């Protein structure tokens, strides 16, 4: 059983929007760090947006003001609303949950226990 299932990826033109969803189970959804990463071929994976606890969020600097992470606790689902997409946002997007961080660290440094299989986002200019 796949612990996390992403959906919502696709191809859009620059300036467009997409909403990614990450369906978790009661076992893989909690108040530890949860969030989204992205990766393009030949580059390291980078954290994009995270939520922890009762809704504290952190964002990659380049997506601030354009992306919004949210959660539906009743559905065990995490979302990433992406607006004003740019070609440099093109990547495979992965959701991750159960991120454990050291005291004082933010979720970008957390060690995540569950990962989805990824959903491709392609933005054309």
């Amino acid at each position: 059983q796949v612990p996390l299932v992403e959906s919502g990826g696709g191809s859009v033109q620059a300036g467009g929007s997409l909403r990614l969803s990450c369906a978790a189970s009661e076992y893989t959804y909690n108040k530890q760090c949860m969030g989204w990463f992205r990766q393009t071929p030949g580059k390291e994976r980078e954290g994009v947006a995270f939520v922890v606890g009762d809704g504290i969020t952190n964002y990659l600097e380049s997506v601030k003001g354009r992306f919004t992470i949210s959660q539906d606790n009743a559905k065990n689902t995490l979302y990433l609303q992406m607006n004003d997409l740019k070609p440099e946002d093109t990547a495979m997007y992965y959701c991750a949950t159960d991120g454990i961080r050291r005291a004082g660290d933010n979720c970008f440094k957390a060690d995540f226990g569950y990962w989805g299989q990824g959903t491709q986002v392609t933005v054309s200019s």
Side-chain angles (χ1 to χ4, degrees), residues 2-9 20-24 35-37 78 92-96 114-120:
V2 179
L4 303 171
V5 179
E6 300 102 333
S7 62
L20 305 184
S21 298
C22 174
W36 296 89
F37 291 80
L78 193 66
M92 185 71 80
Y93 283 71
Y94 300 90
C95 69
Y114 300 103
W115 293 85
Q117 294 177 310
T119 185
Q120 177 68 35

Side-chain angles (χ1 to χ4, degrees), residues 2-109:
V2 179
L4 303 171
V5 179
E6 300 102 333
S7 62
S11 297
V12 296
Q13 290 190 327
S17 298
L18 285 173
R19 188 194 195 202
L20 305 184
S21 298
C22 174
S25 73
E26 60 182 335
Y27 304 106
T28 58
Y29 187 94
N30 54 38
K31 287 194 173 185
Q32 303 294 344
C33 291
M34 299 190 293
W36 296 89
F37 291 80
R38 67 187 181 187
Q39 189 170 23
T40 54
K43 292 187 177 181
E44 289 191 1
R45 183 178 61 202
E46 65 176 355
V48 176
F50 301 98
V51 61
V52 64
D54 291 326
I56 298 171
T57 57
N58 295 109
Y59 293 93
L60 180 69
E61 191 65 33
S62 63
V63 308
K64 285 182 180 178
R66 300 188 297 120
F67 290 13
T68 303
I69 188 170
S70 62
Q71 57 192 134
D72 186 333
N73 295 329
K75 295 181 178 180
N76 295 334
T77 301
L78 193 66
Y79 302 99
L80 184 67
Q81 178 66 44
M82 306 186 294
N83 298 328
D84 190 24
L85 282 160
K86 304 176 185 299
E88 51 263 42
D89 295 318
T90 295
M92 185 71 80
Y93 283 71
Y94 300 90
C95 69
T97 64
D98 197 32
I100 307 300
R101 56 191 173 137
R102 295 180 180 178
D105 283 350
N106 62 32
C107 291
F108 280 89
K109 296 183 178 181

